[in-house]
Amino acid sequence: EIPRCCISHLWRSRGAHHSHLLSFVFANGEVLTVKPDMVTCLSRQQRAAPTEQNIVKALRIGFGDRTAQRRDTWLKIDEGCVTRSRARNLLRRLGGKRPKLSSSTFCDLHVGGDGGESPRLDAYADAVGGLEVMPTRPARDVVMLLHQVGDEDFPDAFRAELAASLFGVTGRPVLNLTFPLMSLHTAISLLGHYGYVGALQMALQAVGRPAARRPPSQTG
């Protein structure tokens, strides 16, 4: 699933996702983050074909797997394209600027949810209504946590630690939303389309405020 998610998010025409990051969260709490720059590295070396072999090699070499590097001494991945960290120090490891709290949305998207308890993210329908009821400016930065209903949830305190790392606060409101049943890489591709046409931020603005909750403030 990891190579497919990378393809869905990073291999986009005209650099549509040049500023978007893709992270994978593992059961032990480790976070693997991939920047779109990895595609540029592969392209420079005529390895840009989005095959599972190319992507897995790039990821392993990118996060410092010496065995993978010995097996393919020609492939070079620039430092920072792939990073490993914990949620609590993610922003520091990435070397990025802290998103502005007032212009950010922190979303928990349940893929395969029935929409009973949380609103369904329907970008086109919600965006149209949102223009009338939400006159404020849509979020500039969106942090989207995707996981499939029925699968193992994120590690304990992950959401609170991530909010503290990105926004410098505990208890950052989380917007709970649902998506129809589909694979994660399909959901990522669909979200990418919503973002590209400008519908995602408006949809989040339309459904956002009433459904927000706060994650646990303890990070132990």
Side-chain angles (χ1 to χ4, degrees):
E1 186 70 11
I2 289 180
R4 292 175 181 175
C5 289
C6 287
I7 293 169
S8 295
H9 188 69
L10 303 176
W11 267 261
R12 309 292 293 187
S13 63
R14 299 180 182 178
H17 295 293
H18 69 278
S19 62
H20 297 181
L21 306 181
L22 178 65
S23 295
F24 302 93
V25 183
F26 298 94
N28 64 356
E30 189 171 55
V31 182
L32 178 69
T33 300
V34 189
K35 293 183 177 181
D37 298 339
M38 187 182 79
V39 181
T40 304
C41 289
L42 291 172
S43 180
R44 289 201 307 260
Q45 301 165 78
Q46 289 74 51
R47 302 279 194 98
T51 65
E52 181 174 353
Q53 183 180 40
N54 282 347
I55 294 171
V56 171
K57 279 185 178 180
L59 292 175
R60 293 181 62 183
I61 292 174
F63 65 67
D65 187 326
R66 294 182 179 179
T67 300
Q69 186 67 83
R70 285 196 299 268
R71 291 176 178 173
D72 192 341
T73 57
W74 294 101
L75 182 59
K76 306 297 181 184
I77 301 298
D78 293 345
E79 185 178 357
C81 288
V82 184
T83 59
R84 296 165 63 182
S85 64
R86 296 282 174 171
R88 59 180 174 269
N89 58 11
L90 178 61
L91 190 65
R92 179 172 57 83
R93 285 284 289 120
L94 294 176
K97 295 182 179 180
R98 176 161 286 162
K100 191 175 180 179
L101 190 65
S102 60
S103 60
S104 302
T105 300
F106 193 20
C107 305
D108 206 337
L109 185 60
H110 306 265
V111 180
D114 58 13
E117 296 183 0
S118 301
R120 177 63 57 86
L121 178 59
D122 186 345
Y124 294 113
D126 288 338
V128 173
L131 290 174
E132 299 177 358
V133 300
M134 299 284 289
T136 58
R137 183 175 300 177
R140 175 184 174 183
D141 299 302
V142 177
V143 179
M144 187 77 72
L145 306 180
L146 275 72
H147 62 96
Q148 289 182 313
V149 173
D151 287 352
E152 186 176 357
D153 196 10
F154 294 106
D156 292 342
F158 169 78
R159 291 175 176 84
E161 291 182 359
L162 182 62
S165 173
L166 295 180
F167 303 109
V169 297
T170 57
R172 170 65 175 156
V174 176
L175 175 61
N176 283 291
L177 300 171
T178 61
F179 237 16
L181 181 62
M182 63 184 75
S183 65
L184 287 180
H185 66 270
T186 301
I188 290 172
S189 183
L190 185 56
L191 289 169
H193 166 71
Y194 285 166
Y196 184 71
V197 300
L200 178 61
Q201 286 84 351
M202 298 305 299
L204 294 174
Q205 186 185 31
V207 302
R209 305 308 175 188
R213 67 171 174 85
R214 291 185 176 273
S217 59
Q218 295 182 352
T219 59

